[in-house]
């Protein structure tokens, strides 16, 4: 199948391009590199042996998106293209609504008009907010979003559901709610490329281990968890990439009695505390990470991890790569980009 991958030069998109190719699909990247670098294509060429076909442009530009759909025989779409910095979205809400909602509407519109049958959307565990119970199930309520970024994921899910249902069977779609993606391709040639000071734990940790940052601050040790630090469900980006292939396979092969639109958690089902993650990194890499406890970060929830039964049962996917490998893969990637 020819799969259009919007945001395919980004962190999760680039790993998905690799897994799509390994599964026998042909990925077609659409990205304007607003949060990635063209050198990602070199990394992909090293892994795949050839450069994936790439269209450089903005997904909110309907004329540009139309030229791609006219030029290619597209069978399915994975829509990653979005901005993702929670703090920036609070300062610049319209930037986030325009880009994240505008790109989804534009790409979805072309998908429908060109009769493309399968669409996978990047959603986030952020839609659950502070959960009432753990592990989090897909049937648990979504909570009011605490940032414009989070709101674009809730609105995005609703737009996709409504559009899919209104298409009367011509479109089938899945929203994947990612928990915390970490890690990098084992070759060390592609990975996360945070621009500026990282907000997320693992890039901040690996930059500290590499000596680029003085010390990692653990945001709070007074949460109601075993060691007082926050708990998250860290999923290897290659496992996450494979979940997209499982979603597409399901959309292409589904019986008609399956729901046309569905949502799935993509997590390991296991919670890891910040302190445990730092300890695991130090043990697995042998590198000490200077760190100190600081105050809580505004907006952080205490614990968040997935019930991943639905995706295992229905799509046959489950996470396979352990946290230890995710951290050593992140470290290999960090060393490569620091060198
Ligand atoms: P990323 O920033 O690395 O990748 C996104 C890519 O989309 C970038 O290459 C960027 O240049 C491109 N892009 C953005 N807007 C575009 C536009 N209008 N036109 C063309 N290209 C555009 O981010 P990522 O971590 O790979 O995230 C991918 C998706 O997964 C996003 O939708 C994000 O919100 C979602 N998500 C990410 C996480 C996470 O922690 N990384 C968690 C949950 C959900
Ligand atoms: N943390 C630190 N120090 C740091 C950075 C993070 O202690 O320097 C802690 C945070 O307090 C949190 C944990 O590490 O407890 C994970 O933080 P991240 O920023 O890596 O990830 P979040 O869980 O806060 O956010 C992620 C994505 C968001 C998404 C959210 C949804 O980055 O885009 O998951 O679950 F909205």
């Amino acid at each position: 199948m020819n799969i259009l991958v919007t945001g395919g030069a980004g962190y999760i998109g680039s790993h998905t391009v690799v897994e799509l190719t390994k599964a026998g699909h042909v990925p077609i990247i659409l990205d304007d590199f607003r949060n990635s670098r063209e050198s990602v294509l070199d990394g992909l060429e090293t892994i795949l042996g050839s450069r994936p076909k790439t269209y450089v442009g903005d997904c909110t530009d309907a004329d540009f998106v139309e030229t791609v759909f006219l030029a290619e025989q597209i069978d399915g779409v994975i829509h990653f293209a979005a901005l993702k910095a929670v703090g920036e979205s609070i300062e610049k809400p319209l930037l986030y609504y325009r880009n994240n909602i505008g790109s989804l509407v534009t790409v979805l519109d072309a998908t429908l008009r060109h009769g493309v049958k399968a669409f996978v959307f990047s959603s986030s565990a952020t839609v659950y907010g502070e959960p009432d119970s753990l592990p989090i199930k897909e049937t648990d309520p979504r909570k009011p979003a605490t940032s414009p970024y989070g709101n674009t994921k809730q609105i995005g899910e609703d737009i996709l559901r409504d559009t899919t249902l209104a298409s009367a069977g011509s479109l089938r779609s899945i929203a994947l709610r990612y928990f915390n993606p970490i890690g990098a391709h084992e070759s060390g040639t592609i990975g996360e490329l945070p621009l500026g000071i990282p907000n997320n734990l693992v890039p901040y940790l690996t930059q500290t281990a590499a000596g680029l940052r003085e010390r990692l601050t653990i945001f709070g040790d007074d949460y109601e968890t075993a060691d007082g630090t926050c708990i998250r469900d860290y999923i290897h980006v290659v496992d996450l990439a494979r979940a997209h292939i499982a979603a597409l396979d399901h959309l292409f092969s589904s019986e008609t009695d399956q729901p046309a639109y569905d949502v799935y958690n993509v997590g390991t089902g296991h919670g890891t505390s910040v302190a445990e993650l730092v300890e695991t990194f130090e043990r697995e890499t042998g590198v000490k990470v200077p760190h100190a406890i600081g105050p809580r970060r505004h907006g952080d929830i205490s614990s968040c991890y997935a019930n991943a039964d639905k995706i295992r049962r229905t799509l046959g996917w489950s996470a396979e790569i352990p946290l230890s490998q995710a951290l050593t893969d992140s470290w290999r990637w960090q060393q490569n980009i620091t060198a």
Side-chain angles (χ1 to χ4, degrees):
M1 299 285 185
N2 292 330
I3 309 298
L4 182 69
V5 188
T6 74
Y11 173 44
I12 306 169
S14 57
H15 291 83
T16 304
V17 164
V18 172
E19 296 307 313
L20 279 167
T21 310
K22 279 170 65 179
H25 298 297
V26 179
I28 300 157
I29 295 175
L30 191 169
D31 204 302
D32 65 0
F33 302 113
R34 75 180 60 196
N35 198 41
S36 48
R37 303 211 182 103
E38 286 196 61
S39 59
V40 168
L41 302 177
D42 301 332
L44 287 171
E45 188 171 358
T46 305
I47 296 168
L48 299 173
S50 65
R51 229 171 163 75
K53 191 172 229 182
T54 302
Y55 289 87
V56 181
D58 183 345
C59 292
T60 67
D61 176 343
D63 292 339
F64 166 69
V65 170
E66 185 65 13
T67 59
V68 178
F69 275 80
L70 285 172
E72 301 292 340
Q73 187 61 49
I74 295 166
D75 300 300
V77 175
I78 307 179
H79 181 60
F80 291 108
L83 294 169
K84 61 169 181 176
V86 174
E88 185 186 51
S89 80
I90 294 169
E91 286 157 27
K92 300 175 185 168
L94 285 180
L95 177 69
Y96 275 68
Y97 287 116
R98 184 177 289 122
N99 192 54
N100 294 7
I101 304 301
S103 66
L104 174 63
V105 169
T106 308
V107 175
L108 203 45
D109 181 51
T111 300
L112 274 180
R113 283 185 297 96
H114 288 268
V116 179
K117 305 240 168 306
F119 195 99
V120 180
F121 173 64
S122 299
S123 188
S124 167
T126 195
V127 301
Y128 295 115
E130 180 92 53
D132 297 329
S133 61
L134 289 163
I136 303 172
K137 295 192 293 296
E138 289 84 351
T139 47
D140 289 347
R142 297 188 321 191
K143 297 284 173 63
T146 52
S147 71
Y149 167 73
N151 210 17
T152 67
K153 294 302 174 192
Q154 298 206 5
I155 297 168
E157 288 188 353
D158 294 346
I159 290 172
L160 184 59
R161 180 202 57 215
D162 294 347
T163 309
T164 305
L165 297 182
S167 80
S170 76
L171 178 69
R172 306 179 61 78
S173 68
I174 285 177
L176 296 177
R177 293 175 175 164
Y178 313 156
F179 282 67
N180 288 56
I182 63 165
H185 191 264
E186 61 182 355
S187 64
T189 49
I190 55 171
E192 190 169 9
L193 265 180
L195 305 176
I197 301 171
N199 292 310
N200 296 120
L201 176 62
V202 170
Y204 204 102
L205 183 154
T206 56
Q207 288 195 6
T208 308
L212 302 174
R213 312 261 159 227
E214 200 180 331
R215 122 170 13 88
L216 170 75
T217 302
I218 295 180
F219 296 141
D221 68 348
D222 57 352
Y223 287 93
E224 285 186 14
T225 60
D227 62 22
T229 66
C230 292
I231 292 178
R232 295 288 183 274
D233 187 338
Y234 296 96
I235 167 133
H236 197 295
V237 66
V238 171
D239 271 335
L240 174 57
R242 289 180 188 143
H244 294 77
I245 318 311
L248 279 176
D249 288 348
H250 183 74
L251 290 171
F252 288 134
S253 70
S254 283
E255 302 298 328
T256 43
D257 62 349
Q258 297 282 334
Y261 166 79
D262 217 344
V263 296
Y264 295 91
N265 288 341
V266 195
T268 65
H270 300 289
T272 302
S273 76
V274 177
E276 280 169 347
L277 186 141
V278 175
E279 270 168 40
T280 308
F281 180 89
E282 291 185 331
R283 190 178 60 241
E284 294 295 325
T285 62
V287 179
K288 288 284 166 213
V289 182
H291 59 276
I293 305 296
R296 290 182 178 200
R297 181 171 69 177
H298 179 71
D300 274 347
I301 59 173
S302 166
S303 296
C304 171
Y305 53 94
N307 176 318
D309 290 348
K310 181 178 175 186
I311 189 165
R312 181 178 45 75
R313 261 197 335 266
T314 316
L315 305 191
W317 174 94
S318 54
E320 290 172 0
I321 310 175
L323 178 69
S324 52
Q325 190 184 327
L327 294 173
T328 51
D329 286 343
S330 288
W331 179 228
R332 187 178 308 109
W333 164 246
Q334 179 67 56
Q335 289 172 293
N336 277 358
I337 52 176
T338 314

